[in-house]
Amino acid sequence: MSNVIYRVNEVFETIQGEGIYTGVPSVFIRLQGCDVGCPWCDTKHTWDVESGDECALDQVDQPSHDQKRWASATAEQLIQLVMQYHAKHVVITGGEPCWYDLNPLTRRLSDHGYQCQVETSGTYPIAIDPRAWVTLSPKIAMRGGREVLTSAMFRANEVKHPVGRQADIDALDALLARCPSSAAIALQPISQQPRATQLCIQTCIERNWRLSAQLHKYIGVL
């Protein structure tokens, strides 16, 4: 049995709103901790791991509503929380989930018949079960100064890139030139900005890429 301890901000059930699995009922496991520093991040409450924010595990089995908190949990404890819900798709996100060794958690979830999806910035090594799906949202030239790893790009099943302007697409092109990938590519407008959305639509049509429109924000669910 693994002795990996995960710091968990929240566990809840909803509809996946982004990427290839858009519309799929999912249990989200949101882990605490990230030093990438994306300025548009909508989960900044998960960045810091401070001792004063620790709480009991039974307090994170519900949406945190942007509360900066975390509870310690083993893979087996997280599986017990997940099994309370109906969904068979589990999204492990953050924060930056690849701060942690995700092998024990993704392996045990897969063994229990769950499809695992890990959402990562690609700036940390990806330690997961080979059956898990990797959604890599490459964070390029962020405040934290971390680079997207070539190994992470090779492991990605899906590259979901946030776009606010043409320079963001140019940065993705440069990354793909450095790290060719067979992953599906989706562009995601930042914060539903109309100009960014139109740019993503135009580029997706021209390149036969996908559009990730953050469905959950349009329909008003977590």
Side-chain angles (χ1 to χ4, degrees):
M1 181 175 295
S2 169
N3 60 357
V4 175
I5 299 297
Y6 302 98
R7 298 181 181 95
V8 187
N9 177 268
E10 59 185 352
V11 179
F12 63 94
E13 187 174 48
T14 186
I15 296 292
Q16 170 63 289
E18 300 180 358
I20 286 177
Y21 283 103
T22 293
V24 175
S26 305
V27 178
F28 275 70
I29 299 174
R30 189 177 304 283
L31 300 180
Q32 190 80 10
C34 183
D35 61 357
V36 179
C38 306
W40 63 82
C41 178
D42 56 6
T43 57
K44 290 183 179 179
H45 61 286
T46 66
W47 286 9
D48 300 320
V49 180
E50 299 178 356
S51 58
D53 296 326
E54 187 173 8
C55 64
L57 184 58
D58 60 6
Q59 292 181 256
V60 302
D61 190 17
Q62 55 188 306
S64 71
H65 299 294
D66 298 340
Q67 182 179 349
K68 196 169 75 167
R69 68 181 187 191
W70 58 271
S72 296
T74 64
E76 292 301 324
Q77 287 173 316
L78 283 173
I79 288 169
Q80 293 305 310
L81 292 181
V82 168
M83 291 177 67
Q84 298 178 77
Y85 298 105
H86 296 93
K88 301 297 287 183
H89 185 80
V90 177
V91 181
I92 304 170
T93 187
E96 172 47 70
C98 291
W99 264 28
Y100 301 88
D101 178 0
L102 297 176
N103 270 302
L105 180 56
T106 54
R107 181 173 62 250
R108 296 294 290 128
L109 283 168
S110 297
D111 288 346
H112 277 77
Y114 290 94
Q115 169 64 51
C116 294
Q117 178 184 7
V118 175
E119 297 184 335
T120 177
S121 65
T123 60
Y124 279 86
I126 300 173
I128 60 170
D129 186 90
R131 293 168 287 183
W133 179 275
V134 174
T135 298
L136 194 156
S137 184
K139 301 306 190 292
I140 304 168
M142 295 294 106
R143 188 180 70 186
R146 302 194 62 86
E147 292 190 2
V148 177
L149 302 178
T150 301
S151 60
M153 288 292 290
F154 286 155
R155 178 60 182 83
N157 300 101
E158 168 187 15
V159 173
K160 177 168 60 68
H161 189 57
V163 172
R165 52 191 180 138
Q166 180 62 43
D168 298 320
I169 296 174
D170 296 342
L172 176 60
D173 285 339
L175 177 63
L176 292 172
R178 176 171 66 87
C179 306
S181 174
S182 60
I185 297 176
L187 300 183
Q188 184 163 291
I190 295 174
S191 302
Q192 295 79 53
Q193 298 172 7
R195 184 178 299 179
T197 300
Q198 187 55 47
L199 174 61
C200 288
I201 290 172
Q202 178 183 342
T203 305
C204 288
I205 290 173
E206 291 173 353
R207 304 191 185 192
N208 281 312
W209 288 351
R210 296 170 182 256
L211 179 71
S212 175
Q214 293 188 297
L215 173 68
H216 57 296
K217 295 186 177 181
Y218 284 99
I219 64 177
V221 300
L222 290 172

